[in-house]
Amino acid sequence: MACFVAVFVGVAVAIHFETVERAAQLEAEHVAELIADATIERGGLKPNLQAYVARLNSVHKRDIVIVDAVQKRTRGRRSE
């Protein structure tokens, strides 16, 4: 019986970690969609990109890093 409980707890913990990881990925996708939508609507954010990232950081309290097409970091802000 103890073995069954241990296996059950192990599976439950594994499922929980997978769920948390998926939730984090979905949140990152939603933030990326916010940035993409704002970029499309405004025809680009180049002059005000750092200010936009700072506002997103203040609202979402998450680290945000934007990279260009060649994976070069262009703007970012880390939560304090």
Side-chain angles (χ1 to χ4, degrees):
M1 183 67 170
C3 186
F4 173 76
V5 171
V7 170
F8 179 78
V9 168
V11 170
V13 168
I15 290 171
H16 176 72
F17 280 129
E18 289 176 15
T19 302
V20 168
E21 185 174 305
R22 180 66 182 139
Q25 289 173 344
L26 284 173
E27 180 183 0
E29 289 174 13
H30 291 155
V31 171
E33 288 174 2
L34 282 172
I35 295 169
D37 288 344
T39 302
I40 291 168
E41 288 176 8
R42 298 177 184 181
L45 291 172
K46 193 74 167 168
N48 301 318
L49 185 57
Q50 187 65 43
Y52 184 74
V53 168
R55 281 194 308 274
L56 282 176
N57 179 263
S58 70
V59 171
H60 294 284
K61 303 291 187 232
R62 300 290 188 263
D63 293 342
I64 299 171
V65 176
I66 298 175
V67 296
D68 63 10
V70 293
Q71 302 296 312
K72 181 179 177 184
R73 180 179 171 157
T74 58
R75 295 287 186 263
R77 181 163 180 102
R78 294 190 56 93
S79 300
E80 261 97 36

